[in-house]
């Protein structure tokens, strides 16, 4: 009598798909990463016609590749919700519990998943080539010219979506420095906001605060009442809140709100995210009544945007 032992070559279930189109996207994504996948039930699903909705298609991979394949799927799935705020530090007031989760129909979630997989299949195979091409071109240049800043910005954005935050930070800082040389204010703003987003997603809010404060100091006096300054102040308030620096978050949010009202008006949708950040910082400091006023204002502004 022999004992059955699990083999690394054994096929195991990775995930189930609603139809063959979604299964093809998953298989293409895995093959782009050098992983072999078997679609089980593909032909049977196609022959069932209208009854095929009752039969799921299964994706099988070798047991030794299961963890790697799951990591590929997880990396290609971008959540639709906003990231949760970091937990409060010791001694700070506990933030209010989040509101009820938004429910979506299964068909909507399935369509979003299929869309994310389709983009991942299209983008992932070309990213290593783009990075190699960029690095070869960069190494062939002894000095960088300002026009090369756009390439750094593009690569920084791509690497951010791949969650390679360390490399993304380097490219975005290079882009900011090069834009500063040619006084390209709008492009520099895009790079600085991307850098702040990278540092926040990388859970380095203190570095995000430092980078945004440096950018604010670099804004000329003639641009004190500009949308660029408002966007940086809004991002800085959020960075302070993520760093649990709630007093600073309230001060910056107050300045940003005053500027935003002068630029856009009190009910403009541009202020909605700032109002949420401002109210959250006030609640973290135990100033719930002030936060309620801002939350009520945010709700009224949101209702006005609904057609």
């Amino acid at each position: 009598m022999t004992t059955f032992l699990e083999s690394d070559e054994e096929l195991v279930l990775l995930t189930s798909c609603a139809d063959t189109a979604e299964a093809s996207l998953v298989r293409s994504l895995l093959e782009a990463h050098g992983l072999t996948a078997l679609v089980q039930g593909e032909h049977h699903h196609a022959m069932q016609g209208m009854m095929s909705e009752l039969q799921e298609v299964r994706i099988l991979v070798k047991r030794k590749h299961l963890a790697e394949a799951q990591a590929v799927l997880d990396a290609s799935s971008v959540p639709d919700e906003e990231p949760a705020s970091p937990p409060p530090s010791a001694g700070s007031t506990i933030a209010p519990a989040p509101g009820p989760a938004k429910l979506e129909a299964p068909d909507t979630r399935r369509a979003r998943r299929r869309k994310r997989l389709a983009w991942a299949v299209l983008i992932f195979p070309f990213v290593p080539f783009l990075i190699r091409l960029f690095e070869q071109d960069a190494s062939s240049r002894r000095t960088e010219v300002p026009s090369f800043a756009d390439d750094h910005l593009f690569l920084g954005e791509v690497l951010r979506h791949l969650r390679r935050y360390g490399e993304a930070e380097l490219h975005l800082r290079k882009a900011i420095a090069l834009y500063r040389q040619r006084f390209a204010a709008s492009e520099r703003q895009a790079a600085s906001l991307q850098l702040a987003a990278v540092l926040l997603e990388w859970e380095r809010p203190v570095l995000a605060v430092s980078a945004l404060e440096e950018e604010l100091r670099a804004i000329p006096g003639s641009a004190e009442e500009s949308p660029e300054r408002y966007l940086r102040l809004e991002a800085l308030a959020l960075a302070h809140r993520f760093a649990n620096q709630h007093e600073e978050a309230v001060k910056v949010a107050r300045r940003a709100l005053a500027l935003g009202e002068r630029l856009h008006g009190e009910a403009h949708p541009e202020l909605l995210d700032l109002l949420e950040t401002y109210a959250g910082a006030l609640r973290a400091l135990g100033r719930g009544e002030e936060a309620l006023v801002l939350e009520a204002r945010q709700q009224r502004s949101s209702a006005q945007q609904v057609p």
Side-chain angles (χ1 to χ4, degrees):
M1 178 178 179
T2 60
T3 304
F4 175 78
L5 298 177
E6 292 182 348
S7 169
D8 287 343
E9 301 296 323
E10 177 189 2
L11 293 175
V12 295
L13 177 65
L14 171 64
T15 187
S16 297
C17 301
D19 51 36
T20 55
E22 184 176 350
S24 298
L25 290 174
V26 174
R27 179 168 58 187
S28 299
L29 178 60
L30 294 174
E31 289 176 351
H33 286 77
L35 302 173
T36 303
L38 174 67
V39 179
Q40 186 181 58
E42 182 176 15
H43 301 292
H44 182 58
H45 188 278
M47 289 187 295
Q48 285 182 330
M50 294 181 63
M51 297 299 294
S52 63
E53 292 296 327
L54 304 178
Q55 176 71 32
E56 289 188 331
V57 184
R58 294 152 55 91
I59 306 294
L60 305 179
V61 297
K62 293 182 180 180
R63 184 180 296 278
K64 64 182 180 181
H65 295 150
L66 179 60
E68 185 179 357
Q70 188 61 57
V72 169
L73 286 186
D74 292 342
S76 69
S77 298
V78 182
D80 296 311
E81 294 81 8
E82 292 292 328
S85 299
S89 59
S92 63
T93 305
I94 298 177
K102 180 175 66 175
L103 298 179
E104 297 185 58
D107 290 342
T108 303
R109 294 196 299 270
R110 186 179 303 155
R112 289 188 176 183
R113 181 186 179 189
R114 187 180 301 170
K115 183 177 179 181
R116 291 195 296 266
L117 287 170
W119 274 109
V121 169
L122 290 173
I123 293 174
F124 272 80
F126 297 100
V127 169
F129 169 75
L130 290 173
I131 292 176
R132 286 197 303 271
L133 181 63
F134 171 79
E135 291 174 344
Q136 290 172 1
D137 193 15
S139 63
S140 66
R141 298 171 181 240
R142 294 186 178 180
T143 58
E144 293 175 309
V145 296
S147 61
F148 205 43
D150 296 338
D151 300 323
H152 283 294
L153 175 58
F154 171 74
L155 266 180
E157 293 174 350
V158 171
L159 291 165
R160 174 196 169 193
H161 289 296
L162 292 177
R163 300 179 184 178
R164 293 166 59 174
Y165 297 123
E167 298 170 75
E169 179 189 5
L170 291 175
H171 286 292
L172 290 170
R173 288 190 183 278
K174 288 181 180 179
I176 291 171
L178 292 170
Y179 286 136
R180 186 182 292 118
Q181 292 178 19
R182 72 180 192 189
F183 305 102
S186 59
E187 292 89 348
R188 181 176 166 187
Q189 172 189 307
S192 64
L193 293 178
Q194 279 286 338
L195 176 60
V198 164
L199 294 172
L200 290 178
E201 292 176 15
W202 201 14
E203 298 181 359
R204 285 160 171 76
V206 176
L207 289 178
V209 167
S210 176
L212 288 166
E213 287 179 340
E214 180 183 355
E215 286 299 305
L216 279 168
R217 288 192 295 269
I219 293 179
S222 58
E224 283 295 311
E225 295 287 316
S226 64
E228 291 79 11
R229 184 169 183 270
Y230 167 77
L231 289 174
R232 286 177 171 86
L233 285 172
E234 180 188 10
L236 180 58
L238 181 64
H240 276 305
R241 187 184 171 197
F242 269 72
N244 291 323
Q245 299 170 352
H246 302 299
E247 289 282 2
E248 290 80 0
V250 167
K251 294 177 183 178
V252 175
R254 186 183 301 117
R255 292 165 53 198
L257 184 59
L259 176 58
E261 289 173 345
R262 292 195 297 271
L263 291 172
H264 307 294
E266 294 186 357
H268 198 278
E270 186 72 34
L271 306 180
L272 292 178
D273 291 340
L274 175 61
L275 289 170
E276 181 179 356
T277 300
Y278 196 173
L282 288 170
R283 285 198 175 276
L285 293 172
R287 297 159 62 176
E289 293 183 0
E290 297 175 70
L292 279 174
V293 174
L294 293 174
E295 290 166 350
R297 175 178 170 181
Q298 182 188 21
Q299 291 175 0
R300 288 195 302 270
S301 298
S302 299
Q304 293 176 7
Q305 309 309 317
V306 178

